[in-house]
Amino acid sequence: MKKHEKDTKQEILNIAEELILTKGYTNFSYKDISETIGIRRASIHHHYPTKEDLGSAFVQKYQIQFKIWCDLTKDKSPKEKFEEFLELYKLLSNNFQKACPIGMLITEYIVLPQKLQIEIKNFFSTIVSWLSDVLEEGKKQKEFKSEINPIVFANIIVILLSGTLKTALVFEDCCHCNSIFEEVKNMIISK
């Protein structure tokens, strides 16, 4: 693929990401992208034959970023990993100015194409599994409270963080969101 084609493909994905985060997957079309970039819809179809392919590329982008992030934090303590995980959500949301990317797709889950549903489910499971492992390790090292059930709390935390980012958009209140993130820490971390 030529550099120009690669740049166009990335630009299409970037615009699609912004549209998913602001309108949702079901509320944008290739026409929106073509008007924003100033290219023909056929050019978009050249890079992403279907909207499902584009949605899949969106999820895969975050899967890759999460894997890279996990690799960067692998040698840290469970507490450091957990605290950086919370910071990752803040970063993804541009300090509570945007919704969680995967959370936006989960909102529309039942109307998404099956391939995209499977990718979202797998990615969500990857995040929960990683967090569960961190919580289990932290319990063993006595960094986290002994009474937590790692798999249950991993699910609760991911759902809570995603929901917090969505409500931040409604209430436009970063302090409220920061206090929720602090309470999540208090639920898990041993004093």
Side-chain angles (χ1 to χ4, degrees), residues 143-155:
E143 289 185 338
F144 300 148
K145 295 178 181 176
S146 61
E147 66 271 14
I148 65 167
N149 177 322
I151 191 68
V152 171
F153 271 79
N155 276 284

Side-chain angles (χ1 to χ4, degrees), residues 107-139:
T107 302
E108 300 178 287
Y109 185 82
I110 60 172
V111 296
L112 295 176
Q114 185 176 17
K115 177 184 172 191
L116 200 48
Q117 287 179 342
I118 291 168
E119 288 186 9
I120 292 165
K121 188 175 187 178
N122 289 340
F123 186 38
F124 186 85
S125 295
T126 298
I127 294 168
V128 168
S129 177
W130 175 88
L131 184 54
S132 177
D133 290 345
V134 169
L135 295 175
E136 183 66 43
E137 184 183 353
K139 269 180 66 170

Side-chain angles (χ1 to χ4, degrees), residues 51-64:
K51 189 175 176 183
E52 184 177 2
D53 295 325
L54 184 53
S56 187
F58 172 82
V59 173
Q60 289 168 8
K61 173 185 173 181
Y62 283 95
Q63 287 173 320
I64 291 166

Side-chain angles (χ1 to χ4, degrees), residues 13 19 29 42 52 54 56-57 63 71 81 92 104 106 108 114 121 123 125 145 154 156 161 163 178 183 191:
L13 183 57
L19 291 168
S29 68
E52 184 177 2
L54 184 53
S56 187
Q63 287 173 320
D71 290 343
K81 288 178 188 177
L92 282 174
M104 281 296 288
I106 288 172
E108 300 178 287
Q114 185 176 17
K121 188 175 187 178
F123 186 38
S125 295
K145 295 178 181 176
I156 290 169
L161 297 180
N178 279 319
E183 283 304 313
K191 297 292 179 198

Side-chain angles (χ1 to χ4, degrees), residues 35-50:
E35 289 174 353
T36 302
I37 299 176
I39 61 174
R40 296 177 311 125
R41 280 181 260 177
S43 297
I44 300 169
H45 284 285
H46 169 74
H47 296 289
Y48 301 100
T50 67

